[in-house]
Amino acid sequence: MDVYPPRGLGMPRLRPPGGSSRGSPFISCGRLRWVQSILTQSSKSQPDGILCILGIDSRYNEGCRELANYLLFGLYNQNSSDFEKTGFSEEVLDDIIILIKSDSVHLYCNPVNYRYLLPYVAHWRNLHFHCMTENEYEDEEAAEEFKIASFVDMVRDCSRIGIPYSSQGHLQIFDMFVVEKWPIVQAFALEGIGGDGFFTMKYELQDVSLNLWNVYSKMDPMSLDNLLSEDLVTFEHQWTSFFANFDTEIPFLLELSESQAGEPFRSYFSHGMISSHITENSPNRQPFVLFGNHSTRENLNAGNFNFPSEGHLVRSTGPGGSFAKHMVAQCVSPKGPLACSRTYFFGATHIPYLGDDNKLPKKTEQIRLLSQVYAAVVEAVLAGIACYAKTSSLTKAKEVAEQTLGSGLDSYELMQFKAALRSKMAFHIHAVNNQGRIVPLDSEDSLYFVKTACMTVYDIPDLLGGKGCLGSVVFSESFLTSQILVKEKDGTVTTETSSIVLTAAIPRFCSWLVEDNEVKLSEKTQQAVREDECFLGNFLTEGDGAYLYPSNPQSWPEEGKVHFFSSGLLFFHRHHGSIIISKNHMNSISFYDGDSTSVVAALLIDFRSSLLPHLPIHFHGSSNFLMIALFPRSKIYQTFYSEVFSPWQQQAKSGLSLKVVQEDGLSVEQRRLHCKAQKLFSALSHPAGEKRSPPKLLSAKLPELDWFLQHFAVSSISREPVMRTHLPVLLQQADTSSSPRMENDKVIISIVTGLPGCHASELCAFLVTLHKEYGSYTDVIDVVQALQTHPDSNVKSSFAIGAITVCVEPLSCYMEHRFLFPKCLDQCSQGLVSNVVFTSHTTEQRHPLLVQLQSLIRAANPTAAFILAENGIITRNEDIELILSENSFSSPQMLRARYLKYPGWYEGKFDSGSVFPLMVQICVWFGRPLEKTRFVAKCKAIQSSIKPSPFSGNIYHILGKVKFSDSERTMEVCHNTLANSLSIVPVLEGPTPPPDSRSTPQDNSGQQECYLVFIGCSLKEESVKDWLRQSAKQKPQRKALKTRGMLTQQEIRTIHVKRHLDPLPAGYFYNGTQFVNFFGDKTDFHPLMDQFMNDYVEEANREIEKYNRELEQQEYHDLFEQKP
């Protein structure tokens, strides 16, 4: 037995740089269903199949390659590591034809690329491999003919075929005559092995490129993985380059133009648009950088930002030609859905505390006004995103955003400006596809698209008494939502939602000091804290690498240098300047380090409202709370313990001392902030010589990402509801390592299944001495759904499925080459089947056929246990326990896999697809005995009559109960054609299952006690009956009357011997050897021989006539005639 440890069923984690991922089988099946949905749309012209041909056979068509890469997770990308260093030519590896039908897939490949494709496709439903064996493939001419014949077979049942003609961004006019010139399509017209005519004349072709592009734009965990690990990294790099333009000396920063500042965004966008061949004129999807009062509605909606503005400088775009107070910036991904906009400030949004509350200068008040409006806009956009994620309603999201904006303005005491500002506000949410194009938000598919939410407050007047316009404030984020439909206990359907802001790591707040008075104020602050009699008390220590966390969830921590004093601290940031927090502004200060040197040390500061004017705007929040995080192993972490910890703990006279708290003493908000800090520390920490982990760093930047990925892994599969009780398992909130206990009063059903001839009945007989119904091509998911949706609720609640075991007979798996019998692989499906029992070729060490099938089934079901049981006989107790397990089927891993692979299964809505090729089961009943010798000979002769594709008339299995003429006992017979094995054993006395009403004749009155089930391809009942009649006692034929001419030489000699001594006529004598007449003539025969032969014929005919008369009087019954 080979029991493989279960693998995790969650979505794949973010891939390491340069690594490859085969993706999840659930994502793969989901992608296939999305493509197949094109074939099920209600349209008169919808195609019957989508044809994807790779390599030279399609003249390297890019649309086909794109579809293959979508389904195979980039396997055929030029940089695919799976094909690197294989040693095989591109022509061999690209030798693939895929025909996707509404409920099945046909895949032509060769034995070389088969093993590379297998992990990507083995879990597809109703998959049909058209592939030769290794030995067959060695004949090049035969291999080429096989490919053509396979292509013809694949499309045989189609009338309209879809072609993925163009790749994304490279739309070409569809030309079916170009398709006709593809080599494999040309070969279709070859006589003998082709399809009898030109492909484009026999089939109606249509371009499905646009339909597929829409499918590609739907986010799933794998495409989100790529977006986060590749596109988002490139996108964030543009912002890094953008910030680098401002990290310069003040005189140079003042001379910076919009053109220079926006160069990274403009180059990124324009170069990408050129290579993608897509033109998009919407101003919402173009980059911009606008300074100060140049950021008006007119300029923002100009519709074209490709022309750089050299004349607008930081120095001159403020009110009255003064310094700009702010800028608005937007970066847009040219080939993807990402975009975000920000408003940043030229000047501090706070004034450092210097021992007294200074009055803010007018310039700072203008910046403060803009920053407060912007902070309210940020909060409004994020509230709108949260509302949209829950309701999918733009109207409701807009209402919430407007209400939040108003509340935000109220909180900043800007009530008198609300009316003026709200009239200039605009809010929108756009859905965006993979090409960066805006698509209708109300379309059914938009649920799976990345969206951008944006709020703009245009043309803000100088509300503080000045004249003119300060410019506009803009904020937008790209986000993705996840929505799971949940069926409650009362039958109602509700939604569970989640969302992730993809661009949240782009700094939402930033400022640069540009004016002399601000610079002087910063210098004054630095000097003040260095004085001997500093208002912060005695200097204790300082160090870099401290992180200041605001309580505002919309803001991110700032890294800077912290200076500790006996009565407070100074936090210096290169953009925001000095932030001074005196103990005079603190209500309390606590310390948490988890009593561990691997836990981030946190200073938790509860401050008074009087500190707010001295904090940057994004450090304001609903609760006056800050956290300073000190990372283990940093210098400031060590010096804090040695220089600050004791003095702050012992400051009794100030009335404010450091209080150490344990984890249970942290509030929910404090625990949330500390968790974020711990994640960031873990992401930034890595052993010497190792690179920093991008997934960890991304998870630290987006703390909600891990939860969203769990949620999205479920929601992206389908829109079928899940049961409320199962939701924690699907979201992996429940313990998936243990299986639930079964209720004692429930009947446990152990299902043993398999294709006909797989020895499943022998295994059942071995386990319970009760034979089950004969095998069939019923999909195991249909059996599960039938049990799950039992109409009688009382019956349904009285049983539970314990485990499903499938039996596999290696010789009964392939119809020809590597073309599997229908449902062979589906019988072994992950999430349903716990055990796979191999019932032959188990005694030989690693038999090639057995090994090959194990690899195939392992790819389809990585969690199943493999059991070896020759002829269904199990030899290990452990194997019996696996088969008779009471909770294997209901384990959390299996339950999650079922939901992800078979959407709707719990309510019986999953369509298992049709059986192909069509396999027929014909049950014939009869009451007469068979001739054993004739029956055995007929069975053994079937194998030599098996026909290749399309397999019509082939008999693959015969099984049933019969009587033979040489015995009165009823015998159970089972014949497997491909194995050429025939079993004839007496029927054991005991209980028998009820007859199958589907195949039992309605007029059976108990006289027809024998039956045989014939299983094969396109069988007809009359043909089967004619075949079986030849195994019964044959009806004697009437004998024909003899004539002289019909006598044989042997009969003539017999007549001679019998009559040669009869009396001779006159003139003859017999010399003992010959007959001599009067003239001396000699003959070998009696002279009356003619008479003798006539007499013989007359006598024989009298016997024949008597025989025929007796035969006519005898009563003969046909095999299928009922007994009287």
Side-chain angles (χ1 to χ4, degrees), residues 344-349 367 509-513 573-577:
Y344 296 141
F345 302 94
F346 296 115
T349 61
I367 292 178
F509 296 88
C510 192
S511 61
W512 292 268
L513 305 181
H573 188 271
R574 61 194 182 107
H575 288 157
H576 303 293

Side-chain angles (χ1 to χ4, degrees), residues 693-705:
S693 169
K696 279 189 176 182
L697 189 57
L698 182 60
S699 181
K701 290 180 181 178
L702 305 178
E704 301 86 6
L705 179 61

Side-chain angles (χ1 to χ4, degrees), residues 524 526-535 537-539 565:
K524 181 180 177 181
Q526 298 288 332
Q527 292 172 359
V529 296
R530 291 192 184 100
E531 295 175 356
D532 293 338
E533 296 183 2
C534 173
F535 64 94
N538 299 325
F539 173 76
F565 298 85

